[in-house]
Amino acid sequence: FCGTCPPCREGRQQFCEHIQEYNRPGMSETITWHESQVYRLPASVSLLQGCLLEPTSVAVRIADKTHVKVGDRVVICGGGPIGQLCLQVLKMYGATSLTMIEPIPERRQMALRHGADYVIDPLSEDQDARASEITGGAGYDVVVDASGSPRAVKGLLDIAASGATVVYGAMYPQEFEMPLNLSDYLYLKELTLTGVFVSPYAFPRALRILPLLQLDELTRAVFDLDDASEAFAVHVSGKYPKVVIRCNH
């Protein structure tokens, strides 16, 4: 973000008027950042674990937007890195009936190891029936989508409790449009629907909780730069929720 436009000066950097103009340097040999955009890792956090600071900041911002309260029933759809980190962050808030919806068995097991109370396989189970069983028919007070799957997102409104908050916290195809029955979901159920773009102000808090998170399983797939092609193939396979390319070896 530029730091000088009106949204930036108001502390709303996610709405920077020039945010789409910068040259995304993710694959560059060298990168130059302003000192305000660089954070020192705690001594207890390795550089490898530190690569999860950005997705952790997204999880923190998603938690902010849920307005979760202690005891709220929470469900997360999608067991990738954002979903797994959201699960751990929302566990810190005192979430109950904490549920992960995820089709890949290894990711469901990871969620259980990291604090999920329940998991749902949307391919082999009746998602609505399981959600009703878990919540005693009430539905979830907080619903988070971290899947980005057009097939998954609409059904999440049906497992939300009346008055629930639903956060769409992933990236979606630009051409995807989700039909929405305003009478059912916004008028009768009074759902609050919101999304997440970027999370600039969440980095300092994400940095403070990073040593408290279980990160080892999210940093197991590490490839040297010379093996980048293999790394991308493994990423596409879905075998690991996060793949890291090591550039300093």
Side-chain angles (χ1 to χ4, degrees):
F1 51 86
C2 72
T4 58
C5 70
C8 282
R9 292 167 66 89
E10 294 167 1
R12 301 185 301 147
Q13 294 95 333
Q14 69 270 31
F15 302 127
C16 173
E17 295 174 356
H18 308 288
I19 199 166
Q20 300 294 347
E21 298 175 8
Y22 83 98
N23 181 25
R24 286 164 168 73
M27 307 297 275
S28 302
E29 292 186 14
T30 60
I31 300 174
T32 300
W33 293 114
H34 189 272
E35 62 183 15
S36 66
Q37 296 171 295
V38 178
Y39 297 87
R40 183 185 297 276
L41 293 175
S44 59
V45 175
S46 69
L47 184 60
L48 178 59
Q49 293 171 324
C51 73
L52 293 171
L53 176 58
E54 189 277 335
T56 300
S57 76
V58 176
V60 169
R61 181 138 196 267
I62 288 173
D64 286 351
K65 298 207 72 176
T66 67
H67 300 291
V68 64
K69 300 183 294 297
V70 172
D72 275 351
R73 294 158 295 202
V74 176
V75 63
I76 299 163
C77 179
I82 300 297
Q84 299 286 348
L85 290 166
C86 269
L87 182 123
Q88 294 191 51
V89 170
L90 290 167
K91 187 79 170 181
M92 293 178 174
Y93 278 85
T96 63
S97 300
L98 185 55
T99 305
M100 172 70 74
I101 300 172
E102 167 58 49
I104 299 176
E106 292 81 4
R107 295 186 180 188
R108 293 198 300 273
Q109 292 303 311
M110 182 185 297
L112 289 170
R113 289 191 293 272
H114 291 171
D117 299 311
Y118 304 95
V119 292
I120 297 175
D121 179 357
L123 301 181
S124 65
E125 296 182 274
D126 184 323
Q127 180 172 291
D128 290 358
R130 280 284 286 137
S132 179
E133 176 188 353
I134 292 167
T135 63
Y140 293 96
D141 306 296
V142 169
V143 179
V144 174
D145 178 63
S147 73
S149 169
R151 291 182 299 174
V153 291
K154 187 178 185 301
L156 298 179
L157 301 180
D158 295 319
I159 62 175
S162 296
T165 297
V166 182
V167 179
Y168 294 98
M171 296 177 66
Y172 305 93
Q174 287 188 341
E175 69 280 3
F176 172 62
E177 295 183 3
M178 186 181 78
L180 180 66
N181 187 311
L182 298 181
S183 178
D184 285 351
Y185 298 119
L186 300 191
Y187 176 58
L188 294 175
K189 290 187 74 172
E190 289 194 12
L191 300 183
T192 297
L193 311 185
T194 187
V196 169
F197 178 33
V198 293
S199 47
Y201 65 79
F203 270 75
R205 286 181 293 138
L207 193 64
R208 290 195 289 273
I209 67 168
L210 210 55
L212 307 178
L213 300 176
Q214 300 179 62
L215 303 176
D216 289 346
E217 289 194 73
L218 294 171
T219 53
R220 283 183 176 170
V222 181
F223 294 83
D224 290 330
L225 188 59
D226 291 342
D227 300 319
S229 295
E230 182 183 356
F232 281 104
V234 170
H235 172 68
V236 171
S237 75
K239 182 177 181 180
Y240 298 96
K242 190 73 172 175
V243 174
V244 179
I245 296 178
R246 179 169 44 204
C247 301
N248 62 336
H249 190 267

